[in-house]
Amino acid sequence: MAGAEEFLTLIVSSPSGAGKTTLCERLRRRVTDLRFSVSHTTRTPRPSEVDGREYHFVDDAAFGEMVSAGRFAEWAVVHGRSYGTAHSEVDHARRTANGILFDIDFQGARQIKARVMDAVSVFILPPSLTELERRLRGRGTEDEPTTRRRLANAKREIAHYGLFDYVVVNDDLDRAEERIVSIVIAERCRRARHADRCEALLARAREATLGEPDA
Ligand code: ADP
Ligand code: 5GP
């Protein structure tokens, strides 16, 4: 595992249906040393979801106990259900990976950004509200009241775009994937992440006889 200065904290948020889960999956296939943070939630699993893979599915009582015990790094109520990131997810990623990928809403993004100064946040936008509704309905995972609630909440979520460092418009999936992968590559090249490496090389160069520098 690389030094702590290279650990990347990446937050991805979007209105429901914009394609965040799809893009996060593609990103994970391309950037394999990022660990996906598996949240806890009180919502019911979708047919394709497996407990412990997409989420840890818990009931209200268990979630409440975790809140009381201070076991969440962040948590929020989203679309009427509770969602949270356990500290243990973050600790595990720090021990075993070179970065962590959070798929969380803007309330969670705000909490993580307050704790992790160098966290990088990306907001995924649909090309239009009509397309957002088409995708959400096309996914076929929500009943009508939940679909309406999620679409209504999209306005509130888009209103918080100012919390994010980057915006990726998910029009064409391949293009959006390139954009988000590019963000990770660029963020990993930030000078601040390589200060130790630069200083170590400088120290070696001072010790070694590498000839005289140009005047
Ligand atoms: P979110 O996680 O943001 O709620 P999903 O990743 O589940 O959204 O995507 C919602 C639906 O839209 C899925 O059926 C997905 O296959 C589809 N989708 C995602 N991105 C695109 C895209 N660029 N073009 C067309 N359909 C897309
Ligand atoms: P879904 O029910 O569609 O999987 O997720 C609904 C929303 O909850 C999405 O915006 C998703 O990013 C957000 N979410 C998922 N896990 C967490 C979490 O641990 N914390 C917060 N704050 N939001 C989460």
Side-chain angles (χ1 to χ4, degrees), residues 178-198:
E178 289 313 311
R179 290 173 186 136
I180 198 162
V181 169
S182 303
I183 290 168
V184 171
I185 293 170
E187 283 293 332
R188 284 191 154 162
C189 293
R190 272 197 185 277
R191 185 194 61 216
R193 291 186 195 278
H194 297 283
D196 288 355
R197 191 188 306 269
C198 292

Side-chain angles (χ1 to χ4, degrees), residues 14-22 131 135 139 170-173:
S14 80
S16 188
K20 163 180 37 71
T21 307
T22 310
E131 175 64 9
R135 288 183 192 171
R139 191 172 69 193
N170 180 20
D171 39 18
D172 173 79
L173 207 39

Side-chain angles (χ1 to χ4, degrees), residues 94-106:
R94 285 205 171 267
R95 281 196 311 274
T96 61
N98 266 335
I100 186 163
L101 171 60
F102 294 106
D103 168 344
I104 57 178
D105 86 319
F106 72 89

Side-chain angles (χ1 to χ4, degrees), residues 132-210:
L132 180 72
E133 180 165 358
R134 196 191 67 76
R135 288 183 192 171
L136 188 56
R137 290 189 184 285
R139 191 172 69 193
T141 52
E142 259 64 48
D143 60 20
E144 186 57 24
T146 313
T147 301
R148 284 175 184 277
R149 178 175 208 158
R150 285 179 177 240
L151 288 172
N153 286 343
K155 287 184 205 126
R156 194 166 70 111
E157 290 168 55
I158 296 169
H160 287 88
Y161 78 92
L163 287 170
F164 295 86
D165 302 313
Y166 295 91
V167 170
V168 167
V169 178
N170 180 20
D171 39 18
D172 173 79
L173 207 39
D174 289 340
R175 268 208 306 268
E177 176 183 334
E178 289 313 311
R179 290 173 186 136
I180 198 162
V181 169
S182 303
I183 290 168
V184 171
I185 293 170
E187 283 293 332
R188 284 191 154 162
C189 293
R190 272 197 185 277
R191 185 194 61 216
R193 291 186 195 278
H194 297 283
D196 288 355
R197 191 188 306 269
C198 292
E199 292 300 331
L201 275 177
L202 258 183
R204 287 286 302 277
R206 282 194 199 105
E207 285 162 20
T209 44
L210 290 178

Side-chain angles (χ1 to χ4, degrees), residues 4 10 13 16 28 35 47 66 76 97 116 155-156 186 192 196 201 211:
L10 183 67
S13 296
S16 188
R28 287 161 67 194
R35 191 184 141 86
M66 287 183 72
V116 184
K155 287 184 205 126
R156 194 166 70 111
D196 288 355
L201 275 177

